[in-house]
Amino acid sequence: MNRLASVFIVAFLACVFPGRGAQVQTDVCVYGATSGGVVAAVQAARMGKSVVLLSTNTHVGGMTSGGLSWTDGGVNASIGGIAIEFYKGVGARYNSSNPVFAFEPHVAEQEFNALLTGAGVTVRTNQLLASVNMSGQRIAQITMVDGTVYQAAMFIDTSYEGDLMAMAGVTWTLGRESSATYGENLNGVTAGVQGDTNATNLDPYLVPGNPASGLLPLLQSGNGGTVGAADSLIQAYNYRLCLTTNAANQNPIPAPPGYNESTYELVGRVIDARVAAGKTPQLTDFLAFFSLPGSKFDINNNSNFSTDYVGDSAGYPTAPYAQRNQTASDHLAYLQGFLYYLGHSTRVPSAVRTQMLGYGLCLDEFTDNGGWPNQLYVREARRMVSDYVMLQQDCLVTRMANDSIGLAAYSIDSHNTQRFAKSGAVWSEGGVNRSVYEAYRVSYRSIVPRVGECQNLLVPWALSASHIAFSSIRTEPVFMILSQSAATAAAFAIDDNVPVQQVNYAKLALQLRADKQLLTRGSTDSLGIVMDNTDATGVTLTGAWSASTTAQGYVGTNYVHDGNTGKGTKSVRFTPTIPTTGSYDVFLRFTSDTNRATNVPVDVVTAAGTTTYTVNQQANGGTWVQLNTGGPVTLTAGTACSVLVRTDATNGYVIADAVRFTPSTPTDTTVQVVASGSIARETSPLQAARFTVVRSSSQTANAWTIPYTVSGTAVPGTDYVALSGSVTIPAGQTSASIPITPISANLIDGNSSVTVALNPGTGFTVGTLNSATVQIVNPPTVQIAATNAIASEANPTVPATLTVSRDASQTLSDWTVSYTIGGSAASSRYVPLPGSITIPAGQTSATIQVVAIADNIAEGNQTVILTLLAGSSFTVGSNSSATAQILDKPIDAWRFANFTAAQLADPTISGDNADPDGDGITNLAEYAFGLNPLIHNSPPTTSSQDATGHLALSYSSNRAATDVTIIAEGSTDLNSWSSGPDMVQEIARVQQGAVDLVTVRLVPSNPVGGYLRVRVTRP
């Protein structure tokens, strides 16, 4: 594979935010700010959980805001919940009251940001996963490349690569399973396609016909592999571009650095082959154009030689970040060069070049990346392997999960995985496209690790699915649907303190239905008994029928048709073994085409007789078509019942494929209740909890008023706003909420509970989930403590330190804590305090420094007392105040202790050089010697001779007088004085109360005699 350079690199940038080593603790941590990541975070917040959303770059929305603007929806009617809310929000931005599925990328990102803001979700940008710390089978914390640590009760991996899943030790796979692994005839290596439409015979060699010359660029070595075998190849990636024909909003597409036209020789040969075949090449032969608002177009792959960079995606899923950056850069360079080639190479017909040059990059899209998308289209990467693996059979509804969390409906669509030379020609392999015809269920078990693996992780994108099933599930609407369900399950796992594998599915499904998620299609909740035309028993073919696989949508390996001959002589009877007598729905499956009969007679034979239905096989092919639309039929246990597909007097081909018998779902008149937001917090604004009362979607014609009983430890009217005792579900709605609004008392009075139990009423009964409980919790607290209580004027560089702290579980956002200032110290004695302190996100505490201001005023020691104030999202704990002490300079403290206020105001009495007691000793000396300045004192020194006859001098030294110095000096002539060790020597220091008695002498090396003195200095 040739490596191409690009002027634009879509890189994973790391920055230090919120701070290296910071710790953030939340209920739910969502890794990957993709479309699914946004929806998961919003849903978690709506469920009353604290949540942080981690983006690997600076954007939110993934592919939906990153260029995939023409939505791959499949069946849009299967999209519900926040996903359809998003598309309606986009529609509103275009002044439409309907959901809009084709939009500009920047509009999509605006809507995602609005959803996040509305839910109060915190987004952290440039967060790349570095490591995962496990505690048993649970993720304890994850650490980012920048050192930031995130701790949460639940984690949701919404990355396209499944990085968090892999680092958590969950089982995963890559590439394609064999067709035999799960019995999927579409899986494994495919037969491949030679060349392309009208260009099948493409020479793969640099010198045509000469294998020794080497392969052309954009081809890989190898022969494609064995059909049906497994391999590790990944379907091709590309970028979904947003181009415009509006010259006023357009940048031309330049050649990438290092561009070489020979890289695209294969494209030139495709053009030459088409011209040689008498075809006129069109720009749409190479590019798919999807119209968007604003004269813009979503550009996608449109052939075997198009925007897909075939063969370069294989190493991406498990590569380190630097290598992924290179792969992204290579893809962009390939695509940029491909578009430049179409606009400038003389191999390209002039009409195509002119048309290509009419398109340019949008000036108002991806403005931080030169108009190029910020998200590589990672169509597939790692896939989890869990207890339920979504398969081709799920997509074709020949298997049906009983724990649906949403519907998927897109065709099975795998792009090419490799391009190679075989038999002297270019081949492409890996492409699969088969319609699924109807929406199908996605299992909850497919988004959680298998039992025995990580217990607090959900994976809605890199879910447990085969390559073939993933190729259908992998659409952005389905990603959003599954992510909302994942976040709901995460909230319930927290509430019920259970692993994600043990979440109560009935409770989960109830909440999902209340949130307008669509979990089923059709009238039944189970697949029932399915009989295929190839079954060895129970199927009887009369007359000559032909097997075929031409039309898609069949069950099993094929279907049969009557050849449009022998009318009335051919039939297929399906005879099931009914396990239990009861009411059933009967479905027919066939493939459709315009040559099909519109009047196929189908007999349903029961003990009560035969009912004939007429089926139009030109419509609804590939789906389960219900025959008994007028009501269920009664089938008796055993083999007495059957379905007969006849050909009598039919006006076209008659198809016999499969029949399905499903127990009829009885009319559901139950109501149930779930705690949708299980926590009410006494914060400001108050956070209400809520119960949701839910009924069946088939019972919405009239309003239902549901009575309920309230109990619990919380006191209505005191702890929360009292409830009415009934709630009304309006006509047209499936649910109604009962809010629990706490009444804030600003007291730490313990948590309390509220339980609502539904009561039966006229026209409905109460289901299994008949009661639910929420908690009213006290707001989180802040506290303050003195970690260093002393500030001194003598050393103002060392302040007093008061620490304001919060709970470790409350580090998601900044908290600004206000406080009052009291104490005996005047504000002039310390550096002014602002009256508030901010604890940054990711931190549990912040410090307030009380810095003393040094002066020459005798004020004594005084206090500064800080008292915390409650905030909007917290209250104050038991340690609500802390005290710092400001110490005066020692000499000023001495003066303050010995003089009155009037005396302190008079420097002739209290000044350093004053002698108020008239004893000839100044105040400064009295302080240094530890004397009372107002009492007449004897001289503080005494002289003597030591044993050698040298002069000695004793004096008292005040140990508290640390800001003055007593210096002993000696002299032999009364002119020159020295305190050096060659002149004066201290020979004794004895503690006597608050003073030391110090004795010095003249150094014996000096002549006998001489003089000693002491003097006091102050800096």
Side-chain angles (χ1 to χ4, degrees):
M1 178 63 62
N2 292 344
R3 289 291 181 188
L4 306 176
S6 175
V7 65
F8 298 107
I9 298 177
V10 180
F12 300 97
L13 302 175
C15 72
V16 181
F17 181 84
R20 179 169 292 278
Q23 287 194 353
V24 176
Q25 190 172 67
T26 62
D27 293 328
V28 179
C29 177
V30 181
Y31 181 71
T34 52
S35 59
V38 171
V39 169
V42 168
Q43 178 67 6
R46 290 180 179 179
M47 296 286 288
K49 305 306 177 189
S50 60
V51 58
V52 63
L53 174 62
L54 308 183
S55 174
T56 57
N57 53 31
T58 58
H59 294 277
V60 297
M63 281 305 303
T64 298
S65 62
L68 206 170
S69 300
W70 181 274
T71 304
D72 296 327
V75 179
N76 289 340
S78 67
I79 303 173
I82 296 176
I84 200 66
E85 180 184 340
F86 164 78
Y87 292 112
K88 287 180 178 178
V90 169
R93 293 178 184 273
Y94 290 112
N95 298 315
S96 172
S97 59
N98 297 316
V100 168
F101 297 98
F103 40 78
E104 298 160 279
H106 75 273
V107 172
E109 188 158 14
Q110 288 172 355
E111 183 59 24
F112 280 129
N113 277 314
L115 285 170
L116 291 167
T117 300
V121 173
T122 299
V123 181
R124 303 293 187 199
T125 59
N126 294 313
Q127 296 294 282
L128 284 171
L129 183 64
S131 64
V132 173
N133 179 263
M134 300 292 293
S135 176
Q137 294 177 345
R138 297 181 67 85
I139 300 173
Q141 63 184 37
I142 61 176
T143 303
M144 301 297 109
V145 169
D146 69 5
T148 305
V149 173
Y150 295 93
Q151 299 172 336
M154 289 288 148
F155 292 84
I156 304 176
D157 186 350
T158 50
S159 68
Y160 290 121
E161 296 82 9
D163 287 339
L164 178 54
M165 170 195 69
M167 288 194 190
V170 174
T171 303
W172 53 271
T173 189
L174 277 176
R176 299 178 286 188
E177 299 87 356
S178 73
S179 58
T181 301
Y182 296 119
E184 301 169 296
N185 68 317
L186 298 179
N187 213 339
V189 175
T190 69
V193 175
Q194 181 176 333
D196 202 11
T197 305
N198 299 316
T200 57
N201 192 26
L202 298 176
D203 194 293
Y205 303 117
L206 291 172
V207 176
N210 182 6
S213 65
L215 293 173
L216 287 173
L218 309 181
L219 271 73
Q220 296 88 54
S221 60
N223 63 2
T226 302
V227 174
D231 65 14
S232 61
L233 298 182
I234 305 295
Q235 61 176 301
Y237 301 164
N238 70 354
Y239 282 94
R240 293 291 287 261
L241 297 181
C242 185
L243 302 183
T244 181
T245 54
N246 179 6
N249 187 34
Q250 187 184 88
N251 260 338
I253 299 171
Y259 171 77
N260 190 326
E261 184 171 312
S262 65
T263 301
Y264 302 93
E265 170 63 21
L266 184 56
V267 180
R269 293 186 186 183
V270 170
I271 293 173
D272 294 345
R274 288 180 178 172
V275 171
K279 303 297 181 180
T280 301
Q282 305 291 327
L283 185 60
T284 53
D285 292 339
F286 300 97
L287 300 174
F289 291 85
F290 300 103
S291 182
L292 306 175
S295 300
K296 298 175 183 177
F297 298 86
D298 175 356
I299 308 300
N300 194 19
N301 192 79
N302 198 37
S303 67
N304 288 328
F305 308 96
S306 183
T307 63
D308 282 357
Y309 196 14
V310 177
D312 199 54
S313 56
Y316 177 90
T318 59
Y321 297 127
Q323 185 176 332
R324 286 183 185 173
N325 290 345
Q326 184 61 56
T327 299
S329 179
D330 292 345
H331 276 73
L332 195 55
Y334 162 77
L335 179 55
Q336 187 176 344
F338 178 70
L339 298 179
Y340 188 83
Y341 180 91
L342 292 177
H344 295 84
S345 175
T346 55
R347 294 279 291 279
V348 179
S350 60
V352 175
R353 278 182 277 145
T354 299
Q355 189 178 5
M356 182 69 241
L357 292 175
Y359 292 89
L361 299 168
C362 301
L363 292 175
D364 61 347
E365 300 291 352
F366 312 116
T367 56
D368 60 348
N369 203 37
W372 298 100
N374 50 57
Q375 176 65 58
L376 178 65
Y377 192 0
V378 180
R379 289 189 172 98
E380 185 174 359
R382 295 184 182 95
R383 303 187 309 277
M384 183 166 61
V385 181
S386 189
D387 290 328
Y388 192 100
V389 181
M390 293 293 296
L391 302 177
Q392 174 182 326
Q393 292 90 321
D394 292 278
C395 302
L396 300 180
V397 199
T398 59
R399 185 176 80 150
M400 191 180 294
N402 61 4
D403 55 352
S404 173
I405 53 168
L407 301 176
Y410 197 63
S411 61
I412 298 171
D413 179 26
S414 173
H415 286 233
N416 285 324
T417 61
Q418 56 182 325
R419 186 185 290 133
F420 54 91
K422 185 171 74 172
S423 302
V426 174
W427 284 72
S428 299
E429 188 277 319
V432 176
N433 191 286
R434 176 167 177 174
S435 297
V436 300
Y437 296 100
E438 63 179 297
Y440 59 90
R441 304 173 188 179
V442 180
S443 167
Y444 174 67
R445 285 164 290 165
S446 73
I447 69 165
V448 298
R450 58 174 46 148
V451 173
E453 295 188 344
C454 188
Q455 296 179 347
N456 63 335
L457 174 69
L458 298 105
V459 188
W461 173 261
L463 78 167
S464 179
S466 71
H467 161 68
I468 286 299
F470 188 86
S471 295
S472 170
I473 296 169
R474 63 170 187 85
T475 65
E476 292 287 290
V478 174
F479 188 15
M480 289 189 258
I481 291 167
L482 301 185
S483 296
Q484 180 175 354
S485 298
T488 306
F492 285 155
I494 293 172
D495 291 347
D496 297 339
N497 193 28
V498 296
V500 293
Q501 294 87 349
Q502 295 178 19
V503 167
N504 183 329
Y505 174 70
K507 179 179 176 181
L508 173 62
L510 192 67
Q511 182 64 55
L512 296 180
R513 289 198 292 112
D515 289 333
K516 297 181 172 56
Q517 288 271 57
L518 303 176
L519 306 184
T520 61
R521 294 275 291 172
S523 61
T524 61
D525 287 332
S526 65
L527 194 60
I529 301 169
V530 175
M531 303 190 69
D532 182 55
N533 64 282
T534 60
D535 286 354
T537 60
V539 179
T540 303
L541 279 70
T542 300
W545 291 80
S546 300
S548 178
T549 59
T550 302
Q552 295 184 7
Y554 53 85
V555 173
T557 57
N558 60 36
Y559 58 91
V560 294
H561 63 83
D562 70 345
N564 202 19
T565 62
K567 298 299 183 179
T569 65
K570 302 178 181 182
S571 64
V572 178
R573 186 180 296 275
F574 298 86
T575 304
T577 299
I578 301 298
T580 306
T581 299
S583 297
Y584 288 79
D585 295 320
V586 183
F587 299 83
L588 186 69
R589 184 109 170 194
F590 48 87
T591 63
S592 288
D593 196 270
T594 55
N595 65 359
R596 305 299 196 245
T598 62
N599 59 344
V600 178
V602 180
D603 298 337
V604 176
V605 181
T606 70
T610 299
T611 302
T612 301
Y613 302 92
T614 302
V615 177
N616 177 6
Q617 291 194 338
Q618 291 189 9
N620 300 314
T623 65
W624 289 110
V625 176
Q626 186 171 354
L627 298 176
N628 59 310
T629 55
V633 297
T634 299
L635 303 182
T636 55
T639 58
C641 306
S642 64
V643 170
L644 181 67
V645 179
R646 297 188 283 114
T647 64
D648 303 57
T650 51
N651 56 9
Y653 283 79
V654 175
I655 306 299
D657 179 25
V659 175
R660 171 180 158 202
F661 305 86
T662 303
S664 296
T665 302
T667 301
D668 184 1
T669 59
T670 61
V671 290
Q672 301 186 83
V673 64
V674 63
S676 302
S678 63
I679 302 295
R681 291 187 172 89
E682 297 175 355
T683 56
S684 179
L686 297 171
Q687 176 182 311
R690 76 181 190 279
F691 298 100
T692 303
V693 180
V694 189
R695 62 180 172 182
S696 169
S697 59
S698 65
Q699 300 294 314
T700 61
N702 301 306
W704 286 7
T705 298
I706 316 298
Y708 57 82
T709 302
V710 183
S711 61
T713 60
V715 179
T718 299
D719 294 322
Y720 64 97
V721 177
L723 303 176
S724 66
S726 67
V727 63
T728 297
I729 305 177
Q733 300 295 321
T734 59
S735 64
S737 294
I738 304 172
I740 302 299
T741 305
I743 298 173
S744 178
N746 290 321
L747 296 174
I748 307 299
D749 53 0
N751 300 336
S752 56
S753 64
V754 180
T755 298
V756 162
L758 302 185
N759 299 322
T762 303
F764 60 85
T765 59
V766 177
T768 304
L769 298 173
N770 52 29
S771 67
T773 299
V774 301
Q775 300 290 325
I776 300 176
V777 302
N778 294 132
T781 60
V782 290
Q783 304 194 68
I784 188 170
T787 47
N788 174 30
I790 303 298
S792 173
E793 287 188 19
N795 189 9
T797 60
V798 180
T801 302
L802 308 181
T803 300
V804 179
S805 60
R806 60 179 170 182
D807 299 336
S809 62
Q810 301 294 321
T811 60
L812 179 59
S813 59
D814 294 350
W815 278 14
T816 297
V817 183
S818 298
Y819 52 84
T820 60
I821 306 169
S824 59
S827 60
S828 59
R829 292 208 64 186
Y830 54 90
V831 174
L833 297 172
S836 66
I837 182 70
T838 296
I839 306 176
Q843 303 294 331
T844 58
S845 63
T847 58
I848 302 168
Q849 293 186 335
V850 179
V851 180
I853 297 175
D855 57 29
N856 293 318
I857 302 172
E859 301 149 303
N861 299 336
Q862 295 179 324
T863 58
V864 178
I865 301 174
L866 302 188
T867 302
L868 302 184
L869 301 175
S872 61
S873 58
F874 56 85
T875 189
V876 179
S878 56
N879 296 325
S880 60
S881 65
T883 300
Q885 188 174 36
I886 298 180
L887 303 183
D888 216 346
K889 290 179 180 178
I891 191 171
D892 290 334
W894 176 82
R895 278 203 296 262
F896 187 82
N898 286 283
F899 296 105
T900 66
Q903 291 170 333
L904 288 171
D906 185 352
T908 65
I909 298 175
S910 58
D912 282 2
N913 296 319
D915 182 13
D917 56 6
D919 57 8
I921 306 172
T922 65
N923 285 336
L924 185 63
E926 300 247 18
Y927 165 64
F929 295 132
L931 305 176
N932 189 321
L934 299 180
I935 297 176
H936 192 283
N937 297 289
S938 300
T941 61
T942 59
S943 60
S944 62
Q945 287 185 330
D946 66 5
T948 64
H950 285 79
L951 180 64
L953 181 69
S954 296
Y955 61 89
S956 61
S957 174
N958 181 7
R959 285 198 303 275
T962 57
D963 48 352
V964 297
T965 303
I966 302 175
I967 303 174
E969 297 176 321
S971 175
T972 58
D973 57 8
L974 293 179
N975 290 318
S976 178
W977 294 89
S978 172
S979 61
D982 58 342
M983 178 62 72
V984 179
Q985 181 182 49
E986 183 178 310
I987 59 174
R989 181 177 290 266
V990 179
Q991 289 189 6
Q992 294 183 347
V995 300
D996 291 340
L997 181 61
V998 182
T999 301
V1000 298
R1001 70 175 180 177
L1002 289 175
V1003 174
S1005 60
N1006 290 301
V1008 175
Y1011 308 93
L1012 284 171
R1013 72 177 184 184
V1014 292
R1015 62 186 178 90
V1016 179
T1017 65
R1018 179 181 180 188

